[in-house]
Amino acid sequence: MPTEPNQTGEGAPRKVLALAGGVGGAKLALGLARILPPERLTIVVNTGDDEEFHGLHVSPDLDTMTYTLSGWYNQETGWGVAGDSFETLAVLKRLGADAWFNLGDRDFAMHIRRTELLRRGMTLSEVTAELTGRLGIEHPIVPMSDQPVRTVLETDAGTLSMQEYFVKHRAVPAVRWIRYAGAENAQPSPGFAGALESADAIVFCPSNPHLSVAPILAIPGVRDAISGHTGCRIAVSPIVGGDAVRGPAGKIMGELGAEVSAVGVAREYRGLCNVLVVDTQDAALADAIAAEGIAPAVTGTIMQTDDDKIALAREVMGLAERAGFPLSRE
């Protein structure tokens, strides 16, 4: 996808690490990819949602990011491929398969190829680089780990995987607690580890703090590396006006005892970021956010068009420049 010339200024960070998952994360990542060249941006994506369906390795967040940056994504649903058909899924249902997870025909091709390459012995990082490259994506999209980490929710309907909770049960069950199975044995993927070491700025995209960002932070050493990072660390709140822009982030925060507001987000990211970007609707919360030790920045964060995504990305990079952190590396 073509990249616009950098318009963030000479003092803007030279290398940016974006942490993302879900539709909101992919939207901001697209904006960042439009204003930063590939050598200056690494997008690390949550893989706690990964699951096997019909014998295939499905990586929902990696796919959402891949489809978004390739221009394939379905703008109406926020997931899957635009204009996709579902004939394969229909036949699977007729043949008795448990086909509650929607997979389009073009989407199936992605999972078939991923699974084939993984079975050949390639790592998830290597496979992702191969697939994104085939779709013309130049910016590095990197899984958080090459080892399996799975988000597991303990709910009033029992123990559920992320996809069972979110898709099969439509995020209705009340969440009691969340664990990230396998995280203790995982390592950051090579691309993630390298970006953590070299990044001048870290951006937390507006993703679900518990389902998209926390699995990344659960990998040993990641939280400490981000907490000790000396560059600018900016988070964009996924909560606007007291609820999530999209998805169950607000519901889960409330069920886990957190305040469902941008202030609650600030508390989730305390010690991890210097700046929290909040929507103009939440301007009155600026002082409360500052009281959590995080500098608030107020701007429009609703991304309905590509222009909105680019505008927010420019604002985030402008904040990094103006924050006065040591952003330049030779």
Side-chain angles (χ1 to χ4, degrees), residues 31 85 231 251 278 299:
S85 55
K251 174 181 178 291
V278 302
T299 190

Side-chain angles (χ1 to χ4, degrees), residues 136 216 287 323:
I216 301 174
D287 288 346

Side-chain angles (χ1 to χ4, degrees), residues 128-176:
T128 301
E130 166 70 14
L131 297 177
T132 55
R134 292 284 181 179
L135 294 183
I137 299 171
E138 297 180 355
H139 292 80
I141 297 175
V142 177
M144 66 185 194
S145 179
D146 288 328
Q147 290 79 45
V149 178
R150 298 294 177 260
T151 299
V152 179
L153 299 94
E154 300 295 339
T155 76
D156 60 2
T159 302
L160 302 173
S161 71
M162 167 56 194
Q163 298 307 328
E164 287 174 326
Y165 168 77
F166 187 64
V167 179
K168 190 173 187 178
H169 293 274
R170 300 184 181 276
V172 171
V175 177
R176 294 171 177 166

Side-chain angles (χ1 to χ4, degrees), residues 243-267:
D243 202 359
V245 176
R246 183 187 182 96
K251 174 181 178 291
I252 291 173
M253 286 177 68
E255 289 167 351
L256 295 179
E259 179 180 328
V260 185
S261 72
V263 178
V265 175
R267 291 171 183 154

Side-chain angles (χ1 to χ4, degrees), residues 65-122:
M65 188 66 70
T66 298
Y67 297 153
T68 298
L69 266 65
S70 67
W72 278 25
Y73 72 105
N74 188 327
Q75 296 188 47
E76 294 181 4
T77 62
W79 54 267
V81 180
D84 212 348
S85 55
F86 293 85
E87 295 299 322
T88 303
L89 195 70
V91 175
L92 281 168
K93 289 179 180 179
R94 186 172 180 178
L95 295 175
D98 189 8
W100 51 266
F101 190 80
N102 282 329
L103 294 171
D105 296 324
R106 296 177 187 175
D107 204 18
F108 260 113
M110 175 68 78
H111 312 316
I112 290 169
R113 183 60 172 160
R114 176 186 293 115
T115 304
E116 177 186 12
L117 295 176
L118 287 171
R119 287 175 179 167
R120 289 183 185 178
M122 294 174 68

Side-chain angles (χ1 to χ4, degrees), residues 177-207:
W177 55 282
I178 304 173
R179 57 190 172 91
Y180 308 102
E184 66 280 3
N185 297 317
Q187 298 175 343
S189 66
F192 185 13
L196 271 174
E197 177 67 25
S198 64
D200 299 293
I202 298 174
V203 176
F204 291 81
C205 293
S207 303

